[in-house]
Amino acid sequence: RPVPVPSPPASRRVRLPGGWTDVPVRARAAHAPGDTFDGPCVVTEPQCSLLVPPGWHGTVDDEGAILLEARP
């Protein structure tokens, strides 16, 4: 029986260059292959969190991995 994953908070305060900033929080389980998102944001899983910094772009590949690339 699957264990429900609680929804993450809408935002989280993180320290980025220039100071503390509230950034959006995304649940990893809510993303399917082909989904994209721009930083800054935090992607959460039960075991870890991934900070996508400003100027970076994330894409979920066909295997479910998140690929990060610097935006041109």
Side-chain angles (χ1 to χ4, degrees), residues 3 18-20 27-28 31 33 38 40 43 45-46 51-52 58 64 69-71:
V3 176
W20 290 95
R28 174 67 184 89
H31 290 286
D38 292 323
V43 181
E45 294 189 67
L51 173 63
V52 181
E69 298 178 293
R71 286 184 290 200

Side-chain angles (χ1 to χ4, degrees), residues 34-56:
D35 285 354
T36 62
F37 45 88
D38 292 323
C41 69
V42 174
V43 181
T44 62
E45 294 189 67
Q47 303 84 7
C48 66
S49 296
L50 169 68
L51 173 63
V52 181
W56 287 73

